[in-house]
Amino acid sequence: MKFGTKVIHAGIEPDPATGAIMTPIYQTSTYAQSSPGQHKGYEYSRTLNPTRKALEDNLAALENGQFGLTFGSGLAAEAALLHLLDPGDEVISTNDLYGGSYRLFTKVFSRYGIKFQFVGMQGTAEIEAHITEKTKLIWVETPTNPMLNIIDIEAICAVAKKHNIMVCVDNTFATPYLQNPLDLGADVVMHSVTKYLGGHSDVVMGALVVKDEALAEKLYFIQNSVGAVPGPQDCFLVLRGIKTLHLRVQRASENAAKIADFLMQHPKVDKVYYPGLAHHAGHETAKKQMRGFGAMLSFNLKEDTAEAAAKVLEKVHYFTCAESLGGVESLIGHPASMTHAAIPREERLKVGLTDSIIRLSVGVEDADDLLADLDKALG
């Protein structure tokens, strides 16, 4: 199936009981058994639920994987993967990443003897310099949040394979419409389903997708044992949202490209971070591993202060000042005080995340209205 067909049909069949085209919301916690241990494949909804199963199969197909797992949030999905590690294990992570991931790594799992190292991944030399016999996982986010750096997934996976290290790629920004890390050698793909997959700012969820059955079985065990699973209503909403994923991401990406060009010419803007721009350091890598440049971009102001950024966020109308991203509506945020507040300022500045950085999640509105909105806010 081509991608536009997968979002509608992959892993989804008419309901066998009624023929319903849309996967029903199986709002049940338990299932009848004809005899102890004799059931129709379902016994308890923490372990498996038909609505969730349809979504997990659909997500696996979209990422060209074999096994999908969903969780109550993106961070719950990350935590499940980290539960594969033992005290003393080491993780090499992107140094420009979502603040919640950084907090989970440094404030929660580091307490259990797991060591995290944050490095730039614009080449493989720095990664290889940090690999030890204890390195068990390389955590990749590309495009990165919020600096929109591009990491060469294939090159990272080649290094990891030499050392028998697992690679997980956070594919939230790109979505499976634009990028498929498993095809480039990754072992695990992670999504904050809350974002583009759900697409309508009405659900919180996370997901993991893998190809390897043995790895999948370990993760299913953790999913069931820890129990951070989503409910069937949320799974239904995501299944519905995914059906228009390709249409939404395509339109939003087209809008983002126009906005990036506009910001490049604005006298109050210092730098624009968007992989679709020819001067972007990761532009050629993005062209190689992505099918488009996405709808996320960041920029900073010549007046490089949090106060100057706040004034812009206060003046927009169609862009809403809010956390999150990936909905049909355009959002604007100040990473230093919002999504990345958990990262110390000195660490933020190392990757270029200055006090005036503004992050845009471009939606599917008319591009002219969005451009006029930003022009007015920038004054």
Side-chain angles (χ1 to χ4, degrees), residues 195 201 296 313-314 316 318-327 329-335 337-340 358-361:
K195 314 305 194 294
S201 302
M296 298 298 301
L313 271 66
E314 291 165 1
V316 288
Y318 294 119
F319 281 88
T320 301
C321 177
E323 302 265 359
S324 201
L325 58 105
E329 64 288 317
S330 293
L331 301 179
I332 188 169
H334 181 241
S337 63
M338 296 170 69
T339 53
H340 291 66
I358 293 170
R359 191 189 75 177
L360 302 181
S361 170

Side-chain angles (χ1 to χ4, degrees), residues 2 57 76 81 91 131 149 156 194 212 231 331 362 375:
K2 301 296 185 183
D57 289 347
L81 183 68
V91 178
I131 290 175
N149 291 313
I156 300 296
T194 309
D212 182 75
L331 301 179
V362 181
D375 193 32

